[in-house]
Amino acid sequence: MNSKDKKQPAGLGKDNQSPIGIFDSGIGGLTVVKRLAATLPNENIVYFGDTARVPYGSKSNSTVVEYSVQNTKLLLSKYVKAIIVACNTASSIAIPTLKKEFNIPIIGMIEPGAKMALQKTRNKKIGVIGTRATTGNLAYSSEIKRIDDTANVIEKPCPLFVPLAEEGWTDHNATHEIAEEYLKELRRDGIDTLVLGCTHYPILTNVIQKIIGKNVNLIDSGVASAELIKEELQKLDLLTNSNTTGLQEFYVSDIQVKFKEVAELFLGKEIEHVHKVDLEELSLE
Ligand code: DGL
């Protein structure tokens, strides 16, 4: 999109009863839906998982920006009042473009996760695990050091955690072995706080906590982003005043055989309505 273009209108979305939009490259962002629903149970949520084009973690920056703009337009067409980019990869690359192009509150994973890590750490040695794109961009290091330049941040890509989470191998021997391999250096470095810098990773919390040690704080950016969107919507007077449990609607760009099973594992509950979005339409958005 041309940077000279005017900001996109927020459509009819700026209304208390409008849903909150969430997107991810696939199903990892469902861990954020779970956190958001716990923090704001009465809010309606529209989720889009770009399951046809996952993973974003191995794509070029320009492709991730292009997809993120399309995903945002899709959510705006559902009249959302705010958007959570529930993908660390997209957050680390596309947030500045999205904030420039769209006139709607947009929250990513990096800023709230970094803030929460700094609130929790005592020795200021913070580990960050994520996709190659997120850790390669040093997104968390930059944000943490922007807030506190005395913090020591060590980033480590853990790409195999994504397929392990999607396979539902939350307590498998292979997961333990791979986690040991990925995390042993961080353990030796004496970190006291570890950011789960990929929305798939909270699914593997038990194994990660066991390997890194029970005294290390694990930061789930989904929890931090849910708190931040609550504050933002409060400030804008856009929180719902409904007393009933919010509705959740799910859109994906491809419905895979295991989708429902894995989505329910990520969400921790049954899901009903899943709609498929045509990829061609999405690219034209
Ligand atoms: N859920 C994505 C993230 O948080 C990881 C999966 C991907 O590579 O697309 O970065």
Side-chain angles (χ1 to χ4, degrees):
M1 180 180 292
N2 190 324
S3 61
K4 284 190 301 233
D5 286 352
K6 284 201 203 89
K7 283 196 176 199
Q8 300 283 321
L12 302 174
K14 287 201 157 190
D15 170 304
N16 300 52
Q17 305 318 319
S18 304
I20 297 172
I22 301 188
F23 79 80
D24 177 38
S25 56
I27 51 179
L30 293 175
T31 61
V32 180
V33 172
K34 192 175 167 188
R35 300 306 189 189
L36 182 66
T39 305
L40 295 171
N42 307 122
E43 294 289 345
N44 296 326
I45 296 173
V46 176
Y47 181 84
F48 174 63
D50 197 1
T51 46
R53 304 190 292 196
V54 68
Y56 283 10
S58 52
K59 304 263 184 328
S60 69
N61 286 8
S62 59
T63 299
V64 173
V65 170
E66 186 189 328
Y67 290 175
S68 300
V69 167
Q70 291 168 358
N71 301 345
T72 302
K73 286 183 180 175
L74 174 84
L75 289 174
L76 285 179
S77 76
K78 311 292 174 206
Y79 305 125
V80 298
K81 60 186 173 188
I83 288 177
I84 302 182
V85 181
C87 173
N88 287 265
T89 308
S91 297
S92 71
I93 296 168
I95 289 282
T97 305
L98 299 182
K99 286 198 170 170
K100 201 163 71 196
E101 305 286 355
F102 301 100
N103 186 20
I104 189 168
I106 295 176
I107 299 228
M109 296 288 107
I110 313 293
E111 196 191 317
K115 237 186 240 167
M116 190 178 251
L118 279 167
Q119 280 160 6
K120 293 277 179 187
T121 185
R122 290 286 157 264
N123 68 4
K124 295 203 185 175
K125 277 192 184 174
I126 300 169
V128 177
I129 53 176
T131 63
R132 282 197 199 288
T134 303
T135 56
N137 284 325
L138 296 178
Y140 278 98
S141 300
S142 321
E143 183 59 19
I144 290 171
K145 282 172 179 292
R146 193 186 63 77
I147 306 171
D148 182 347
D149 63 5
T150 65
N152 183 357
V153 189
I154 307 150
E155 305 223 11
K156 170 90 187 164
C158 301
L160 292 174
F161 280 171
V162 171
L164 287 170
E166 295 207 352
E167 203 52 37
W169 284 15
T170 53
D171 196 25
H172 195 285
N173 282 347
T175 312
H176 282 261
E177 271 176 41
I178 290 166
E180 173 61 31
E181 192 57 36
Y182 279 150
L183 302 176
K184 62 186 178 200
E185 277 168 42
L186 288 171
R187 200 172 49 214
R188 256 186 252 134
D189 289 331
I191 58 161
D192 75 349
T193 301
L194 179 64
V195 179
L196 305 178
C198 169
T199 48
H200 279 72
Y201 296 179
I203 288 289
L204 305 177
T205 292
N206 289 347
V207 174
I208 294 171
Q209 186 81 72
K210 205 164 167 188
I211 302 287
I212 198 70
K214 62 177 184 336
N215 295 327
V216 173
N217 305 301
L218 294 190
I219 304 298
D220 178 345
S221 299
V223 176
S225 66
E227 287 301 330
L228 187 61
I229 198 106
K230 184 178 169 185
E231 275 171 36
E232 289 267 317
L233 293 178
Q234 226 153 15
K235 260 191 255 159
L236 297 166
D237 201 17
L238 277 175
L239 281 174
T240 181
N241 38 35
S242 154
N243 297 320
T244 54
T245 305
L247 298 172
Q248 296 178 357
E249 217 176 340
F250 301 94
Y251 293 84
V252 287
S253 46
D254 188 26
I255 300 185
Q256 296 118 345
V257 186
K258 275 190 75 172
F259 177 79
K260 197 166 146 41
E261 185 192 324
V262 181
E264 287 176 354
L265 172 75
F266 273 56
L267 262 183
K269 66 165 196 173
E270 275 192 37
I271 55 168
E272 282 169 41
H273 306 295
V274 183
H275 315 277
K276 186 173 173 299
V277 173
D278 192 354
L279 205 53
E280 223 163 276
E281 260 171 56
L282 190 64
S283 328
L284 293 176
E285 287 278 351

